Amino acid sequence: MSVSSSVRRLTATAAIAAATVGAVALPAAAADHHPGDHQRREAVFISAVQADAPGRDDRHRSLNREWVDITNATRRAVNLDGWTLSDDEGRTYTFHHVWLQGRGTVRVHTGFGRDTRTDVFQDRRRVVWDRDGDTATLRNDHGRFIDAVSWGRDHHRDGDHRHHGDDRRGGYRH
């Protein structure tokens, strides 16, 4: 056998071995990157909640001072069409024709107003977020859980709690 044919066989054997190891390792690595993995969880998330509007309750103005911020941590715009934001009691807002810009935030107000790129309105006549305790839950257009933030009674002893599928703490802000 010549040296060149030995080198070719050795190279072919090494390539087959590398492909086999890669094929075996790929499913294990892919298993670590399921929809709940760290990077995907933080692409779009609830960044802040104002459940108790500051100042005097005066119906219209206080409804628009009750809001939830949704933030996109990626550089690419995300189409939120069909995504939902809901509370513990099942009151649900569905996003229509909303693109969340890369590294941008959209504020979802409870009351009435004119939708813009940075502010959208649920057009409700009553408060949604219970100041004593509630959970804001964000789901995508397929109904898959994206993020949730809880606060107040029965949720956590220090008043706030973030859920990304692994019960990490985070930002309820009032």
Side-chain angles (χ1 to χ4, degrees), residues 2 41 60-61 70 106 110 133 157:
S2 72
R41 276 193 314 265
H60 177 73
R61 281 191 217 150
I70 310 297
V106 65
T110 298
R157 66 186 150 107

Side-chain angles (χ1 to χ4, degrees), residues 106-170:
V106 65
R107 179 163 287 176
V108 182
H109 299 271
T110 298
F112 289 84
R114 189 175 148 267
D115 291 351
T116 66
R117 286 177 32 169
T118 58
D119 294 273
V120 296
F121 297 83
Q122 295 188 49
D123 297 336
R124 295 185 183 269
R125 298 187 189 282
R126 295 181 186 263
V127 297
V128 171
W129 311 110
D130 186 351
R131 68 181 90 180
D132 295 329
D134 210 338
T135 300
T137 303
L138 181 65
R139 294 185 181 276
N140 70 12
D141 57 333
H142 299 291
R144 292 191 187 114
F145 175 88
I146 300 298
D147 193 16
V149 174
S150 298
W151 61 93
R153 69 179 188 287
D154 302 326
H155 290 290
H156 199 269
R157 66 186 150 107
D158 66 359
D160 67 330
H161 199 69
R162 173 169 294 289
H163 307 277
H164 282 295
D166 65 354
D167 290 337
R168 291 183 325 146
R169 289 180 186 232

Side-chain angles (χ1 to χ4, degrees), residues 6 17 31 34 50 52 54 65 74 81 91 98-99 123 127 154:
S6 294
H34 54 82
Q50 175 68 51
D52 186 10
R65 290 190 310 251
T74 71
D81 193 38
R91 291 176 286 224
V98 176
W99 279 88
D123 297 336
V127 297
D154 302 326

